[in-house]
Structure formats: structure tokens, C-alpha cells
Amino acid sequence: MADLKLLALDQDDLGIISAHMQDSVFRVGELSYDARHRQFTAVVNRFVWEEADRGKKGYERRRSVISFKRVEAVRSLGVNRQDPEGVYCMLAIRFEQQGDGPDGTVELTLSGGGAISLDVECIEVQMLDTGGAWATERLPAHPAD
């Protein structure tokens, strides 16, 4: 499979990236916010959902990077930022518009009730696979409450 390279400039595009990022895992030490360049970046191990239903034996994860541009502020809930080895799982990425303009809040919903909120000037998100694919036998599952 070819490496994915995706760009989101609106909510529909962001929904596509969210679907590809579902069940990505990352360590806190792989998150960064560059306030000067207004960019938030996460390096993740992405579950390759687009290959999961093709009848192949086993599944795959890939090393990926997701970058959010035009970020004004970053907040987190339920994330221990003091533990760089802490592991979290991303469930979804959503956008809530503020008023009539393009600005709003991008929320990365994490398993266990955590979240990372990014106040953005507008939606500008890039996701790309950076290589490093490997096989896994585990299919992510989300038990109903």
C-alpha cells in the first residue's frame, strides 16, 4: 500500500483524516506545540483501517505524523503532560466552529475520557505516513458501555 498524504481545509476533509487516525496510539513525548509557528504536531502509530477489511491475514500499523496549523492555543484534559512515556489512543478528531468565521476548536478525543483541544484560526491539517509499517494481530475494539 502507498503511504497516505492527506490535507484538510474544511470539516468534511477533517472527517476523512479523523477516520484514518482512529485508534492511533502515541506517547506524550511525541506531541509538540511550536507557538512561534503556531503548529501542533503528533507522531503516532496509525492503525491502517483502509486495509483492515480486505480479507488479509493480520492487520497493519504505520508511523504517521499529523500537523495542525494556525493554532492559537492548546489545552488538554486527562493527559499527564509530565509523563513523556504515557501512551494514549486517539478515537476521533472533531471541529467546533466559533461564530460565523472559520475559527474554532479542533478536539482530539482520546480513549479513557481524555482530550486535547486546539484553538485554531481555521482548519488546516496535514496527515502523512512516514514509513515504518509493521504487522499486528490486534484489531482495535470499542466495547459498548
Side-chain angles (χ1 to χ4, degrees):
M1 188 192 96
D3 292 341
L4 282 181
K5 295 179 184 177
L6 302 174
L7 174 66
L9 298 174
D10 62 27
Q11 288 190 51
D12 291 337
D13 296 343
L14 190 61
I16 292 167
I17 289 179
S18 177
H20 285 287
M21 294 300 291
Q22 182 179 345
D23 297 308
S24 295
V25 292
F26 61 90
R27 291 191 323 257
V28 170
E30 296 173 315
L31 302 175
S32 66
Y33 176 53
D34 180 345
R36 188 172 128 207
H37 293 104
R38 301 179 353 180
Q39 180 170 311
F40 179 85
T41 304
V43 179
V44 305
N45 296 331
R46 182 177 76 81
F47 186 82
V48 183
W49 281 108
E50 62 272 23
E51 295 287 324
D53 62 350
R54 300 222 172 144
K56 292 175 16 181
K57 222 178 186 183
Y59 305 101
E60 184 177 290
R61 283 195 178 270
R62 286 184 173 265
R63 199 73 168 147
S64 300
V65 175
I66 185 165
S67 297
F68 299 84
K69 314 253 186 200
R70 301 176 188 260
V71 177
E72 303 293 332
V74 178
R75 297 179 308 284
S76 63
L77 174 68
V79 176
N80 182 355
R81 294 182 288 166
Q82 305 307 314
D83 179 10
E85 296 302 314
V87 176
Y88 295 88
C89 179
M90 190 180 313
L91 298 180
I93 303 170
R94 294 187 177 90
F95 178 74
E96 186 172 322
Q97 189 173 349
Q98 303 292 321
D100 294 331
D103 58 320
T105 301
V106 173
E107 182 175 280
L108 288 71
T109 304
L110 309 177
S111 63
I116 299 171
S117 297
L118 311 173
D119 293 337
V120 296
E121 181 182 312
C122 62
I123 296 173
E124 187 175 338
V125 182
Q126 293 177 310
M127 188 223 93
L128 62 121
D129 291 338
T130 59
W134 62 95
T136 180
E137 295 300 316
R138 301 185 70 139
L139 175 68
H142 303 282
D145 292 334

